[in-house]
Amino acid sequence: QPGDSVDYLYWVGCVSAFDPRKQKIAKALVSIMQKAGLSFGVLGSMEGCTGDPARRLGEENLFQAMAKQNIGLLKSVSFKSLVANCPHCFNTIKNEYPALGGDYEVIHHAELLTHLVKNGRLRPGFNYKGTVTYHDPCYLGRHNRIILEPRTVLAAIPGVTQVEMGRCREKGFCCGAGGARMWLEENIGKRVNMERTEEALGTGADIVSTACPFCMIMLDDAVKANGKGDEVSVMDISQVVEKSLG
């Protein structure tokens, strides 16, 4: 509520708020923050879309209107860091809101989880043992160079063996949803999400992990389209941590 003060303001994002599959990311992250004893809060129904899709589609006036409304809302609460689990929200608030008067310390949840692991406030458990391949979201890896942190989180889980795809880290390959293509159909050539998922399945991993709800949708759909839905899970890094904790 206006006037409230927390250390961490968790920006849930549209996809993690409304998509039943992606609500699991938000629930896992909230559970982890509670276990770590963090002072955090969410904006709830007051939170609006950051405007990222509008700007990517060229609706600049709509983007600025949405951004200014959010900046006004953020001025009504007090927080030290804004945490986003969506790289699109993270990139927009961190890199594009300052030009409109919204300058904050913005971190991705991969950075938060890494911090909690390193200072001992998050200790992954032994309830998962298997192979994980990590897909770098474009707006996290290539655009913002947050590459080691998600892998650090996975490496902290005792039962995880990590395997890399050929195109990874700074040279990662898109899931097919970037640039607002989440809402557009591909009708020329091979679908990008199928191309990427075939790379992931080729590693033989039990879990295809990522740190973006957009990527999760694209990869999960393609895993199922390949008939591998019963064998391979697509999970956010926070869900893999939660799985290890049982």
Side-chain angles (χ1 to χ4, degrees):
Q1 297 297 324
D4 285 351
S5 178
V6 292
D7 289 340
Y8 296 96
L9 176 63
Y10 173 29
W11 188 276
V12 180
C14 302
V15 180
S16 299
F18 293 112
D19 188 305
R21 290 182 292 178
K22 305 309 155 294
Q23 286 171 358
K24 294 175 183 177
I25 303 173
K27 290 176 181 176
L29 187 54
V30 165
S31 175
I32 289 168
M33 289 193 287
Q34 287 174 333
K35 286 186 173 79
L38 300 186
S39 163
F40 74 95
V42 297
L43 293 168
S45 59
M46 295 188 295
E47 182 185 298
C49 176
T50 61
D52 166 79
R55 176 168 262 192
R56 303 299 164 244
L57 286 166
E59 287 283 356
E60 182 63 21
N61 288 339
L62 177 58
F63 162 74
Q64 292 201 20
M66 298 172 90
K68 287 173 182 176
Q69 183 174 342
N70 287 328
I71 291 167
L73 173 61
L74 291 171
K75 286 179 179 176
S76 72
V77 294
S78 176
F79 57 92
K80 295 177 181 176
S81 300
L82 185 148
V83 182
N85 69 252
C86 175
H88 297 260
C89 296
F90 165 77
N91 179 72
T92 301
I93 300 174
K94 179 181 176 68
N95 297 323
E96 300 181 350
Y97 275 25
L100 298 172
D103 204 349
Y104 320 102
E105 179 181 307
V106 185
I107 61 174
H108 186 265
H109 78 301
E111 296 176 291
L112 174 63
L113 295 177
T114 299
H115 171 69
L116 295 177
V117 164
K118 287 185 174 179
N119 69 16
R121 297 183 76 172
L122 172 61
R123 297 181 183 276
F126 293 85
N127 288 307
Y128 170 73
K129 185 175 177 61
T131 307
V132 179
T133 188
Y134 174 72
H135 162 81
D136 291 276
C138 294
Y139 278 95
L140 201 60
R142 289 192 288 120
H143 285 286
N144 286 287
R145 290 297 187 264
I146 297 176
I147 292 166
L148 294 178
E149 290 86 346
R151 292 171 171 83
T152 299
V153 174
L154 292 171
I157 303 171
V160 164
T161 300
Q162 293 191 64
V163 291
E164 294 282 10
M165 288 178 262
R167 290 182 281 189
C168 63
R169 300 177 181 255
E170 293 88 348
K171 296 183 179 180
F173 188 67
C174 184
C175 72
R181 294 209 64 86
M182 171 71 80
W183 296 275
L184 301 172
E185 281 297 325
E186 294 174 82
N187 47 32
I188 299 175
K190 189 175 185 179
R191 286 180 178 268
V192 176
N193 67 328
M194 294 296 285
E195 173 86 15
R196 184 54 164 167
T197 299
E198 285 169 13
E199 283 186 73
L201 294 173
T203 66
D206 308 303
I207 290 176
V208 179
S209 183
T210 187
C212 172
F214 283 62
C215 294
M216 278 190 67
I217 289 174
M218 302 301 281
L219 298 173
D220 192 43
D221 286 350
V223 165
K224 289 173 180 172
N226 272 283
K228 298 290 185 179
D230 294 332
E231 303 167 37
V232 178
S233 300
V234 179
M235 302 176 76
D236 184 82
I237 54 171
S238 63
Q239 291 178 279
V240 185
V241 171
E242 186 184 46
K243 190 177 181 71
S244 79
L245 294 168

